[in-house]
Amino acid sequence: MRTRTVQRTELVPHTIDGRTELVLDRYDVEIPVPPRDWDRIVLGTVTGAAGLIGVASIAWSTASIGDLLARATIAPAAYAAAGVFDLVWLSCMALEWLARYDQQRAALPRRAGYVALAIAMAAVGAHGWIADQLAIGLVGAAVSGLAKAMWTVVLRHHAKPLDDRTQQWVDQQRAKAGGRLAMVAVRRELTRAESAVAAEQAAIGAASPETPETVRTPPEDEAETPDEEEQPTPSGPMTIADAVRTAISSGITNPDAVLRYVRKVADANAKEASVERYLRGLRRTA
């Protein structure tokens, strides 16, 4: 069994002049090496080969279709447009790769890739036909077809379709996550809208002319009564009885006015019943 050396560390006590400290001690350990995963190596090699084939297909299609389009426009624009043909179906293959666990989502990029491939092969064949080299045009078109076929085989090998119940569970989780993600954008949009409304209202309020101050007319129940026109000035801490007595001696006879005076000078939480009791007592003794 093959092994490899791995360096490990651990804390060990080390004493010098009677003082002990924990220090790192390094030591080597031999651990077994797992056997080579030839399946993974082969799959990685094939995937790399498919990548090289795709690059070669793009180069050939771009050169062929670019020469065809250059007959009607400038070369830079022609070759830039020519690169689109193979890049489209390769991009569809990449989307199919991302959806390799969901065959329903992978179906659309797969069909779009075949359509883009057919157009690219037709353009390469048209170049050979116009150049009076139809055979070369057909062989060149086959390059893109072979690249597409190679990538299709590789993707089918990497794809791991899910069973129906697992797929439903994945779809539900994806829908919930998508809903939360959508709400982030919705809340951001609502925040922007509310901020715009607040800014607009603030601008309108700042631009409106100032209105003259209006004199507030107190309601009837707050209108001054003759008993409240002149209230005695309190002369120190007072009890409720003292406040009632002072109000009566000052000519305040309205019970509501007396209650307000008591709450002002004696007890802000004085009860109406207590004030009325004191008023009755003072009136009986008067």
Side-chain angles (χ1 to χ4, degrees), residues 129-216:
W129 179 68
I130 292 177
D132 293 330
Q133 296 178 341
L134 183 59
I136 295 177
L138 294 177
V139 173
V143 173
S144 296
L146 290 174
K148 170 68 174 177
M150 184 64 184
W151 270 111
T152 300
V153 173
V154 171
L155 287 183
R156 291 291 177 85
H157 195 84
H158 281 283
K160 301 295 186 294
L162 305 177
D163 62 87
D164 183 61
R165 292 187 175 183
T166 303
Q167 187 63 60
Q168 293 182 42
W169 184 90
V170 171
D171 292 340
Q172 292 178 7
Q173 297 300 313
R174 185 182 290 123
K176 292 178 181 178
R180 291 195 298 268
L181 183 61
M183 288 307 300
V184 172
V186 170
R187 292 192 185 97
R188 187 182 296 119
E189 180 182 357
L190 292 176
T191 301
R192 287 198 302 268
E194 292 173 355
S195 300
V197 171
E200 185 72 18
Q201 290 176 344
I204 293 174
S208 61
E210 296 183 357
T211 57
E213 295 184 356
T214 57
V215 179
R216 177 177 175 271

Side-chain angles (χ1 to χ4, degrees), residues 69-81:
L69 297 178
R71 299 170 185 266
T73 184
I74 59 175
Y79 285 95

Side-chain angles (χ1 to χ4, degrees), residues 5 21 24 38 49 52 62 69 83 101 106 154 158 181 186 189 199-200 204 239 248 260 269 285:
T5 303
E21 300 288 348
L24 285 176
W38 288 106
L52 292 176
T62 301
L69 297 178
Y101 300 114
V154 171
H158 281 283
L181 183 61
V186 170
E189 180 182 357
E200 185 72 18
I204 293 174
T239 63
I248 294 297
R260 287 196 291 271
N269 298 317
T285 57

Side-chain angles (χ1 to χ4, degrees), residues 6-278:
V6 178
Q7 189 178 74
R8 300 284 175 82
T9 59
E10 65 176 351
L11 290 174
V12 297
H14 185 64
T15 304
I16 297 178
D17 294 335
R19 300 185 63 178
T20 302
E21 300 288 348
L22 292 176
V23 298
L24 285 176
D25 181 35
R26 294 176 176 82
Y27 59 96
D28 295 332
V29 176
E30 297 293 329
I31 61 174
V33 177
R36 292 182 180 275
D37 187 353
W38 288 106
D39 291 344
R40 186 176 183 84
I41 294 173
V42 172
L43 182 58
T45 303
V46 172
T47 303
L52 292 176
I53 292 172
V55 172
S57 173
I58 292 175
W60 174 260
S61 296
T62 301
S64 179
I65 302 174
D67 183 65
L68 174 65
L69 297 178
R71 299 170 185 266
T73 184
I74 59 175
Y79 285 95
V84 172
F85 285 81
D86 271 11
L87 285 176
V88 170
W89 69 259
L90 283 171
S91 298
C92 291
M93 296 291 293
L95 293 176
E96 186 180 351
W97 162 271
L98 295 176
R100 62 188 180 278
Y101 300 114
D102 189 344
Q103 292 302 305
Q104 185 176 0
R105 296 181 66 190
L108 178 59
R110 183 183 302 117
R111 290 193 295 267
Y114 282 123
V115 172
L117 173 66
I119 295 174
M121 293 178 66
V124 174
H127 174 256
W129 179 68
I130 292 177
D132 293 330
Q133 296 178 341
L134 183 59
I136 295 177
L138 294 177
V139 173
V143 173
S144 296
L146 290 174
K148 170 68 174 177
M150 184 64 184
W151 270 111
T152 300
V153 173
V154 171
L155 287 183
R156 291 291 177 85
H157 195 84
H158 281 283
K160 301 295 186 294
L162 305 177
D163 62 87
D164 183 61
R165 292 187 175 183
T166 303
Q167 187 63 60
Q168 293 182 42
W169 184 90
V170 171
D171 292 340
Q172 292 178 7
Q173 297 300 313
R174 185 182 290 123
K176 292 178 181 178
R180 291 195 298 268
L181 183 61
M183 288 307 300
V184 172
V186 170
R187 292 192 185 97
R188 187 182 296 119
E189 180 182 357
L190 292 176
T191 301
R192 287 198 302 268
E194 292 173 355
S195 300
V197 171
E200 185 72 18
Q201 290 176 344
I204 293 174
S208 61
E210 296 183 357
T211 57
E213 295 184 356
T214 57
V215 179
R216 177 177 175 271
T217 303
E220 293 181 357
D221 58 349
E222 295 183 9
E224 290 186 352
T225 62
D227 292 335
E228 293 181 298
E229 290 181 357
E230 294 183 3
Q231 292 187 356
T233 303
S235 59
M238 302 176 68
T239 63
I240 295 177
D242 293 336
V244 173
R245 189 177 299 108
T246 302
I248 294 297
S249 63
S250 301
I252 302 175
T253 58
N254 186 287
D256 292 335
V258 174
L259 177 61
R260 287 196 291 271
Y261 178 73
V262 170
R263 287 178 175 174
K264 179 178 180 181
V265 301
D267 186 355
N269 298 317
K271 296 182 178 179
E272 183 179 357
S274 301
V275 174
E276 290 179 352
R277 186 172 64 254
Y278 286 117

